[in-house]
Amino acid sequence: MKKLIFCSILPLLVIGCTTIRQGEVGVKRRLGKLDPTVKGSGVHTYNPFTTTIIKVPTRTINLPLALENIPSKEGLNITAEMAVLYRVLPEKAPEVLSTIGDRYENVVIVSVFRSAAADVCARFFAKDMYTGQREEIEKEIAAEMHTVLEKRGIVVESVLMKSIQLPKGLAQSIEQKLEAEQQAQQMEFVLMKERKEADRKVIEAKGIADSQKIISEGLNKQLIEYKTIEAFRQLATSPNAKIIITDGKTPMLINPTNP
């Protein structure tokens, strides 16, 4: 009986168990040979004497990198802190392990990044890395890396420039130039605003002049006499006491209550 129980428990003692979490896949290596079928998230058993399960992250990985002496277009050396966002295609995990190995970051990604960064930065001036051209540089580096690594099963999502260190004196001159450009843009805005205000005043003055011209052209002797009669009529119906002196054409009102 004891021998039977021991024989029943023995297989359980030689069974290995591992858990694959979300954001990673497992690849079995049995007797040195990789299984092309990947294991998804969950609990998986294996024979620890003949098999191992290699876990490969498939989520987006942020790989920080520091570069020194990057050549610029004018031959200056730039120091930069950058980061590469990449991920491994789940179905390509066995191929990545078989062709590159589990140290694919150092073997392939870092090497390809340094080459792409040097190639792209050499096409731009140092000031471009410090100003609005930075986004274009990031995109071009990511595109070159993606072209090389996608067929290897690695997708480069983006490249980010965290900081750029320019040669001494160059950064200060660039900042001064940017400040001067901003001041020039601000002055241009002020001048444009003043020009618009001047145009508005010209249009307003022209409108007033045209209005006065229309009124003066519309006045005639009969209309003036009619307006005079209307003025007399309104004064006559007013309840307040008043003295009106007129030559029959233009009324002059004298208010007797005023001192």
Side-chain angles (χ1 to χ4, degrees):
M1 175 63 80
K2 292 182 179 180
K3 185 177 180 180
L4 179 60
I5 294 175
F6 177 77
C7 292
S8 300
I9 296 177
L10 184 60
L12 298 177
L13 297 177
V14 297
I15 292 178
C17 181
T18 188
T19 301
I20 306 298
R21 296 181 175 85
Q22 291 183 344
E24 63 182 10
V25 294
V27 179
K28 276 189 177 183
R29 176 183 286 157
R30 182 180 293 108
L31 298 175
K33 184 178 180 181
L34 292 172
D35 188 343
T37 304
V38 298
K39 306 296 181 183
S41 58
V43 178
H44 300 274
T45 59
Y46 61 97
N47 185 344
F49 295 104
T50 61
T51 306
T52 57
I53 294 183
I54 305 172
K55 298 178 182 179
V56 179
T58 56
R59 60 186 178 276
T60 299
I61 303 295
N62 186 336
L63 177 62
L65 295 168
L67 293 179
E68 297 181 356
N69 300 325
I70 306 174
S72 64
K73 188 173 182 179
E74 66 267 55
L76 297 175
N77 291 327
I78 310 300
T79 300
E81 290 185 5
M82 309 175 79
V84 177
L85 301 182
Y86 78 92
R87 58 185 172 86
V88 176
L89 295 173
E91 66 277 10
K92 293 286 188 177
E95 181 180 343
V96 171
L97 293 176
S98 63
T99 59
I100 305 173
D102 56 359
R103 299 181 67 252
Y104 48 84
E105 273 193 356
N106 293 328
V107 174
V108 172
I109 297 178
V110 174
S111 300
V112 173
F113 168 73
R114 292 185 183 278
S115 176
D119 181 57
V120 172
C121 291
R123 301 198 297 265
F124 290 85
F125 292 104
K127 65 181 181 64
D128 297 333
M129 305 178 195
Y130 199 76
T131 57
Q133 297 292 323
R134 175 182 295 191
E135 183 178 356
E136 184 178 350
I137 295 173
E138 293 173 343
K139 289 181 178 180
E140 290 196 18
I141 295 175
E144 285 200 14
M145 293 184 65
H146 185 75
T147 302
V148 176
L149 296 177
E150 184 184 20
K151 56 188 177 184
R152 307 295 297 270
I154 300 172
V155 175
V156 176
E157 296 180 353
S158 61
V159 173
L160 305 175
M161 280 189 176
K162 294 182 177 180
S163 65
I164 300 293
Q165 183 177 349
L166 300 177
K168 293 182 179 180
L170 180 59
Q172 184 177 1
S173 64
I174 292 176
E175 290 176 354
Q176 292 175 350
K177 181 180 179 181
L178 291 175
E179 184 177 357
E181 290 177 353
Q182 291 176 353
Q183 292 177 352
Q185 291 176 357
Q186 183 178 3
M187 182 58 66
E188 181 65 25
F189 172 77
V190 172
L191 292 175
M192 181 178 64
K193 183 178 179 181
E194 293 295 333
R195 284 195 294 267
K196 288 185 177 180
E197 180 64 18
D199 293 341
R200 185 193 67 79
K201 290 182 179 180
V202 170
I203 294 173
E204 182 181 8
K206 187 175 183 301
I208 294 173
D210 292 343
S211 175
Q212 291 176 346
K213 182 178 179 181
I214 292 172
I215 293 174
S216 63
E217 290 177 353
L219 292 177
N220 51 45
K221 183 177 180 181
Q222 291 78 9
L223 179 59
I224 294 174
E225 291 178 355
Y226 173 78
K227 292 294 183 181
T228 300
I229 295 172
E230 288 292 324
F232 276 127
R233 183 178 299 171
Q234 292 178 3
L235 291 173
T237 57
S238 175
N240 299 327
K242 56 188 71 66
I243 299 174
I244 300 175
I245 301 175
T246 180
D247 58 355
K249 297 180 180 180
T250 304
M252 178 182 294
L253 176 65
I254 300 177
N255 190 346
T257 60
N258 293 335

